[in-house]
Amino acid sequence: MKVSVDRDLCYGSGECAFRVPSVFTVRDGFGAVLPGRVGTGGDPEVREAAEKCPSQAIMVTGSGGLRPGEAGGGSQSGSVEGGAE
């Protein structure tokens, strides 16, 4: 499963980076996924961060991922690696 941050929804609380600093960071005022960590969506801590994101900007996609409305959604993914996953 993949994890991404929708920059259109993120308002930069940093909650994701606080909860899972090994996966998330804050870059240019928005949450972002660290390089090489996009495939960590199956990690329970990452899924919890998605569920607890105050702006619901974290999207977990793939088999068993969170569906739109559960957490995240939108069109523009943010990762330090750049671009949509």
Side-chain angles (χ1 to χ4, degrees):
M1 287 186 273
K2 293 183 179 181
V3 62
S4 61
V5 178
D6 185 329
R7 288 179 58 123
D8 290 336
L9 295 175
C10 180
Y11 54 74
S13 72
E15 184 71 21
C16 56
F18 175 77
R19 286 183 179 276
V20 195
S22 62
V23 174
F24 299 102
T25 188
V26 176
R27 176 75 52 123
D28 299 326
F30 298 100
V33 179
L34 290 167
R37 305 302 289 167
V38 171
T40 60
D43 182 324
E45 289 181 335
V46 171
R47 293 176 62 87
E48 181 177 358
E51 292 168 5
K52 306 262 183 195
C53 176
S55 62
Q56 296 295 284
I58 300 171
M59 177 63 83
V60 176
T61 57
S63 179
L66 297 173
R67 291 175 176 79
E70 289 181 314
S75 61
Q76 187 179 26
S77 297
S79 75
V80 176
E81 294 175 299
E85 275 36 294

